[in-house]
Amino acid sequence: MIFIVRIAAERVPPLDVKMVRQTPAIVPDGAGLVDFFCLGDPEAAKAAGWPIVPVHDGWYTDDASGGMAIWGQGLFWELRSTPFTVVEACGPEAWPAEAKHDAGGEVNVRQAIFRG
């Protein structure tokens, strides 16, 4: 799972860091902080004293021309050097054993979208 460790630049978490960027200016009290996008167990990192920021589905830009696309609340991700060039990815094969998803189920799209 991908999560963010938001700390001062001189500290580097001893975790599997996939991407680093300056904390966006819109983040309150984020001046001088760095976002380390880490792969691992966020609860274990939190228990070790690292400040954890959960990720949500979406696009997280880096400080250059790429970033990280995340979906499944951090379970699935793509590290990209540009918005269209995937460098590294983690997909459905990483689905946790305890989480079951319906691979062959049918969805009534009309009812799901237009439920009233």
Side-chain angles (χ1 to χ4, degrees):
M1 175 169 279
I2 290 287
F3 56 92
I4 298 171
V5 174
R6 183 169 286 153
I7 55 178
E10 51 275 353
R11 295 179 62 203
V12 177
L15 303 165
D16 186 5
V17 177
K18 296 297 181 182
M19 186 177 89
V20 180
R21 72 173 187 184
Q22 294 295 314
T23 300
I26 194 169
V27 174
D29 301 321
L33 299 180
V34 175
D35 291 348
F36 292 90
F37 287 75
C38 301
L39 177 63
D41 180 0
E43 293 305 317
K46 185 184 247 181
W50 294 101
I52 303 303
V53 178
V55 296
H56 303 284
D57 294 358
W59 173 253
Y60 295 81
T61 186
D62 64 12
D63 293 332
S65 60
M68 185 171 276
I70 295 177
W71 65 100
Q73 303 305 324
L75 187 59
F76 307 116
W77 52 271
E78 292 176 346
L79 181 60
R80 300 179 181 190
S81 58
T82 72
F84 303 106
T85 308
V86 176
V87 176
E88 186 178 357
C90 177
E93 66 277 0
W95 193 275
E98 66 276 1
K100 301 292 183 199
H101 63 285
D102 188 4
E106 293 183 19
V107 176
N108 181 338
V109 177
R110 178 176 289 272
Q111 189 175 18
I113 294 174
F114 300 107
R115 181 169 282 188

